[in-house]
Every structure is written in structure tokens, then in C-alpha cells.
């Protein structure tokens, strides 16, 4: 006879009750082992989405998900560890220049990353556009690279928070992704199990993010920072704008190209600003405050680390990146300032061009995506290129263009304005 039963727990949450620590531990352990069925966990996820969870319940849920699998430790590593996690956005390639940049200052970056699903891109898909690069490492390879190079970006092994892997896939198909207790426990269980000693959360706000408004983003950030601190991970969060794409390139190889420009001391100012801001924060949490982060992008130190990091995983940093076979240019219809350029619509169009996948097992097109020729707040003249669409399959253009309908606004009387990236911060 089992200690609890799933129906009783679902009913408690449906009636806005609180689940006890033993109940949550039982639920997650039995969901992971298959005793609690997917349909029961779907009902529970929906009850949590509708009725929420107390801070204590969220902490218990996170701890139970960590306990469902293995945890990593860097006890033998001389350098401190620091990681960053973004809640996901359009054109968000920041991990690529950030990991080697932070490693250039002697702080080790153990980045276990994921693949894209829906309109947001995945770091592993981007890096796989580099010839020879390998996402899967053994535990030994991972630790060796962390000690020798100081930065690793690779796929999380199946043993890390398996309860989250199962639950995330279920949420994705049951309309229950956007619940704060579920997002917070999903992200933090993986990051705490990963074993980093400090963590910066980049919580995205706006149309291209899970959190569409700043109050919800602040709540999510506060819950996650608290979870990290409670688990002994020095955690803080930056709230950053995702109402419009980051940088000028959206799509796997296109984003690698832009990241390499940033590592070479160039690149769009919003990508550079956010990379530097997050690097400073990661270094601060790891105890390094008196450092000139921008200089390491200009003088090649971050680029050297990038080349070592890519080569250590079999990648050729000098190989030409894949390019799409077909291109279509969208021209500006009027003179003026771009006062609206919607992240979600641009992300969806890029996805439809082949940069993303509709199902987990689909391949991505490495060269597909969108190049913006102008950003939010910049001036443009009628007839100038506004964006270029890239795909291997010309029949994808029409659905992408449909997604872009109403995605931008050009106003003659508006004044050009630089984009505001950093909206708020939550310290632990
Ligand atoms: N990323 C995750 O890992 N989990 C979520 O729930 C949302 C974003």
C-alpha cells in the first residue's frame, strides 16, 4: 500500500491546498519511476499553474527534482565556478561570447545547455553549426576541459534532474510551461545539480520571453534567487529586455557569426553591453571585482579562450559556417525611425524558416534565420533593406512572412533612441 495517492494530491492542489514535504517528495519520486502517470502529472501541473505554490512548496519541489538524479561537484578544481542561465529569447546568443570571456579571468564556467524548442533558440543547436563540434561529453571529458580550458558548454547528461526532463516535456504539450513554480524549480533544479558555486540568472521580459511583463519577471527572479541562496549557490538575477531581438542575427550559424564578431572586439552594441554586464556579475559573484571586462574582448583574450573551448570539443574555429541556399530581402516601406520590432514575431519567422524545430526529434537548418539590417530605435529610409530571410527551402518564405505581418512600425516623427537592455536586478 502506497504512502499517498496521486488523486488525493491533485485534489488538494485543485482546492488550493498546500502539499506537505513528504507529499511532494513522494510525487516526484513516483513520477520519475513511472508510478504516477503522465495524465496525473499533467493535471497536477495545471492545478499548480492555476493555483500556485507557496515558497516552501517550490523549494521542496526543486529539492525533490534534484534528488531524482545525480549531482556534480568541482571539489578538485582550483578555480571558482560561475554560470549564467537565460530564461530564453530571440537572438540570445550571449552564452557563446560570455563563457570564454569569464574564463579568461580565471573563473571556470560549467555550462550545461539545452536545445531550442519553439521560437527560442538553443545554445547547443547554435554550436553544432561549427564543423566537428560535439555537444555530448563524458563526465571525465567535462571535468578535464573545465580544468584545462576553464569553460565548457555541453549537453546535460540524462542523469541530471531526470524528473525535470520528464516534466518539462509534459508541460510543453499541456499548456503548463508558464507557471512560475514550475519554471523556477525546473531551471534551479538543473543549475543546483550542476554544482556551480555562483549563478547569474538572465530573466528575460517582453514579447519574446516567457514572462511578458516586468512584475511577473521580478517574481520569477526573486523566487529563483531565493532557491539558489537556500541551496548555497551565490545567485543573483538581471532582468533584461526581450521585447525586440538581441543583436542583428537570429538563427544558429548566424548567431555564431555574430558572437565571433563580439569576441573579435566588434558586434552590435546591445549584444556587447549585455555580454559585459553579465560577465561583470558572474565575476563579482565569484569574488573578482577589480577587472576590466571590456578589455578582454578588445585584446583577444576572450577569443583565445573561445578557440580553445571549441577545439577541445572537436570543433574547427576556422571552418566556414553553413549558409542557407535561399534568401529573401524585406525592404523598409517608409522613411523614419523603427519604433516597434517584435521579438516573438521575428523569432517565430526564424523558426518557420528552419532555424528551430517543431518536435524534439526534428533536425534544424544551421544556415536558416533572419539578419536584421536595422534595430529598434534606428533610422531607416524607404527602400533600404530592413531584414534578410535565410532558408534552405524557398517554400518556407511565405509562412515566415506571414509571421512577420505587423512585426515592425516605422514612424516619421519619432526620435532615434538607443535600446534599454538592463531593466532591473535582484540580489541575493
Ligand atoms: N527553461 C527551463 O529549463 N525550464 C523552464 O521551465 C523554462 C525555461
Amino acid at each position: 500500500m502506497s504512502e499517498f495517492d496521486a488523486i488525493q494530491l491533485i485534489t488538494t492542489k485543485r482546492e488550493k491546498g498546500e502539499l506537505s514535504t513528504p507529499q511532494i517528495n513522494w510525487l516526484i519520486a513516483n513520477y520519475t519511476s513511472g508510478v504516477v502517470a503522465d495524465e496525473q502529472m499533467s493535471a497536477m501541473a495545471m492545478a499548480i499553474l492555476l493555483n500556485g505554490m507557496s515558497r516552501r512548496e517550490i523549494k521542496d519541489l526543486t529539492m525533490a527534482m534534484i534528488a531524482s538524479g545525480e549531482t556534480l561537484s568541482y571539489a578538485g578544481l582550483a578555480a571558482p565556478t560561475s554560470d549564467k542561465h537565460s530564461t530564453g529569447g530571440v537572438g540570445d546568443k550571449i552564452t557563446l561570447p560570455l563563457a570564454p570571456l569569464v574564463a579568461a579571468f580565471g573563473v571556470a564556467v560549467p555550462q550545461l545547455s539545452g536545445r531550442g524548442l519553439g521560437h527560442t533558440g538553443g545554445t547547443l543547436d547554435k554550436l553544432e553549426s561549427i564543423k566537428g563540434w560535439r555537444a555530448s561529453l563524458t563526465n571525465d571529458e567535462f571535468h578535464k576541459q573545465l580544468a584545462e580550458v576553464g569553460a565548457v558548454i555541453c549537453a546535460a547528461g540524462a542523469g541530471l534532474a531526470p524528473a525535470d526532463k520528464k516534466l518539462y516535456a509534459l508541460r510543453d504539450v499541456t499548456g503548463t510551461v508558464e507557471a512560475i513554480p514550475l519554471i523556477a524549480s525546473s531551471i534551479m533544479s538543473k543549475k543546483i545539480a550542476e554544482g556551480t558555486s555562483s549563478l547569474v540568472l538572465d530573466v528575460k521580459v517582453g514579447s519574446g520571453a516567457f514572462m511578458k511583463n516586468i512584475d511577473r519577471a521580478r517574481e520569477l527572479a526573486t523566487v529563483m534567487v531565493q532557491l539558489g541562496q537556500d541551496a548555497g549557490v551565490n545567485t543573483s538575477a538581471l532582468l533584461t529586455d526581450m521585447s525586440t531581438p538581441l543583436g542583428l542575427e537570429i538563427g544558429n550559424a548566424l548567431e555564431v557569426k555574430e558572437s565571433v564578431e563580439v569576441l573579435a572586439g566588434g558586434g552590435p552594441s546591445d549584444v556587447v553591453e549585455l555580454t559585459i554586464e553579465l560577465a561583470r556579475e558572474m565575476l563579482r559573484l565569484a569574488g573578482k571585482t577589480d577587472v576590466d571586462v571590456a578589455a578582454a574582448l578588445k585584446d583577444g583574450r576572450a577569443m583565445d579562450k573561445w578557440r580553445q573551448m571549441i577545439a577541445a570539443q572537436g570543433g574547427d574555429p576556422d571552418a566556414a559556417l553553413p549558409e542557407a541556399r535561399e534568401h529573401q530581402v524585406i525592404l523598409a516601406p517608409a522613411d523614419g525611425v523603427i519604433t516597434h520590432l517584435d521579438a516573438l514575431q521575428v523569432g517565430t519567422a526564424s523558426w518557420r524558416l528552419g532555424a528551430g524545430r517543431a518536435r524534439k526529434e526534428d533536425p534544424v537548418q544551421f544556415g536558416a534565420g533572419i539578419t536584421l539590417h536595422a534595430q529598434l530605435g534606428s533610422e531607416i529610409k524607404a527602400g533600404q533593406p530592413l531584414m534578410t530571410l535565410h532558408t534552405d527551402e524557398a517554400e518556407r518564405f511565405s509562412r515566415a512572412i506571414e509571421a512577420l505581418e505587423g512585426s515592425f512600425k516605422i514612424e516619421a516623427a519619432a526620435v532615434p533612441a538607443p535600446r534599454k537592455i538592463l531593466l532591473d536586478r535582484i540580489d541575493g
Side-chain angles (χ1 to χ4, degrees):
M1 179 75 184
S2 177
E3 200 179 346
F4 299 108
D5 85 75
I7 303 169
Q8 173 205 356
L9 303 194
I10 296 164
T11 314
T12 302
K13 193 38 78 185
R14 190 193 68 196
E15 299 305 319
K16 302 189 169 63
E18 269 202 34
L19 299 174
S20 68
T21 306
Q23 285 176 326
I24 290 174
N25 289 342
W26 179 89
L27 179 73
I28 296 303
N30 284 281
Y31 176 56
T32 311
S33 67
V35 171
V36 172
D38 274 349
E39 55 270 26
Q40 294 178 313
M41 201 61 192
S42 311
M44 178 59 88
M46 186 58 82
I48 292 171
L49 182 134
L50 295 173
N51 296 330
M53 275 185 142
S54 69
R55 288 286 175 88
R56 198 266 310 147
E57 286 176 296
I58 300 174
K59 185 174 168 186
D60 287 345
L61 184 59
T62 309
M63 293 303 159
M65 298 218 285
I66 295 170
S68 72
E70 61 176 346
T71 51
L72 302 183
S73 144
Y74 310 107
L77 194 71
T81 49
S82 198
D83 193 9
K84 182 255 340 183
H85 181 86
S86 159
T87 55
V90 177
D92 183 5
K93 71 277 293 171
I94 302 294
T95 292
L96 275 52
L98 182 65
L101 175 60
V102 169
F105 290 94
V107 170
V109 183
Q111 257 272 345
L112 299 177
S113 293
R115 292 176 194 284
L117 193 63
H119 73 277
T120 62
T123 300
L124 302 180
D125 295 327
K126 294 172 199 184
L127 286 168
E128 275 176 347
S129 66
I130 300 172
K131 189 165 171 264
W133 188 84
R134 197 160 51 89
S136 291
L137 299 182
T138 63
N139 274 358
D140 283 352
E141 287 172 328
F142 176 76
H143 285 283
K144 184 166 180 281
Q145 185 175 330
L146 198 61
E148 289 176 3
V149 178
V152 189
I153 304 174
C154 68
L160 209 78
D164 174 64
K165 283 202 179 65
K166 242 183 127 178
L167 182 54
Y168 191 79
L170 192 69
R171 287 164 57 210
D172 201 42
V173 294
T174 55
T176 52
V177 169
E178 285 89 350
I180 286 178
L182 298 178
I183 297 177
S185 57
S186 164
I187 291 174
M188 294 308 292
S189 62
K190 283 174 288 200
K191 289 291 153 182
I192 295 167
E194 174 197 277
T196 183
S197 46
S198 51
L199 173 67
V200 179
L201 298 161
D202 180 5
V203 179
K204 300 288 186 198
V205 191
S207 75
F210 286 126
M211 298 293 123
K212 309 290 180 202
N213 74 62
I214 187 108
D215 292 336
R216 295 247 317 146
R218 214 176 264 127
E219 190 187 337
L220 175 64
T222 306
V223 170
M224 290 198 292
V225 167
Q226 188 70 54
L227 285 171
Q229 297 293 0
D230 286 350
V233 181
N234 198 7
T235 311
S236 70
L238 304 186
L239 270 61
T240 69
D241 178 52
M242 190 29 73
S243 59
T244 190
L246 251 179
L248 295 166
E249 305 285 2
I250 299 105
N252 301 305
L254 295 166
E255 294 191 36
V256 172
K257 180 175 81 131
E258 189 165 81
S259 301
V260 171
E261 284 165 19
V262 171
L263 287 159
S269 61
D270 56 347
V271 179
V272 175
E273 181 189 333
L274 187 52
T275 303
I276 289 176
E277 206 59 70
L278 287 164
R280 278 204 192 108
E281 188 63 11
M282 285 171 73
L283 291 166
R284 182 182 77 80
L285 293 185
K288 302 225 173 196
T289 46
D290 198 15
V291 285
D292 185 351
V293 173
L297 287 177
K298 295 279 177 207
D299 64 19
R301 274 176 289 158
M303 179 68 98
D304 288 345
K305 273 284 167 225
W306 160 264
R307 296 175 62 83
Q308 288 169 28
M309 181 181 87
I310 296 303
Q313 286 167 251
D316 177 357
D318 297 313
L321 290 163
E323 283 182 29
R325 281 193 291 272
E326 309 286 340
H327 305 274
Q328 188 157 323
V329 180
I330 296 182
L331 303 176
D335 289 357
V337 170
I338 301 173
T339 55
H340 177 73
L341 182 57
D342 187 72
L344 178 60
Q345 287 178 276
V346 173
T348 304
S350 169
W351 175 52
R352 289 185 180 178
L353 289 165
R357 50 170 73 76
R359 292 171 311 163
K360 282 204 297 294
E361 49 286 351
D362 290 347
V364 296
Q365 290 182 21
F366 291 126
I370 296 182
T371 300
L372 301 173
H373 300 289
Q375 284 178 291
L376 184 75
S378 50
E379 268 183 303
I380 195 156
K381 295 239 173 293
Q384 279 182 350
L386 178 63
M387 52 181 99
T388 300
L389 314 187
H390 311 259
T391 182
D392 289 335
E393 298 158 323
E395 61 274 18
R396 288 179 178 262
F397 284 129
S398 59
R399 291 263 295 139
I401 289 168
E402 239 172 63
L404 289 168
E405 207 131 298
S407 64
F408 61 88
K409 199 153 137 198
I410 298 174
E411 291 184 89
V415 180
R419 161 170 199 199
K420 187 166 166 21
I421 300 272
L422 186 58
L423 306 177
D424 201 357
R425 57 185 308 140
I426 309 281
D427 284 314

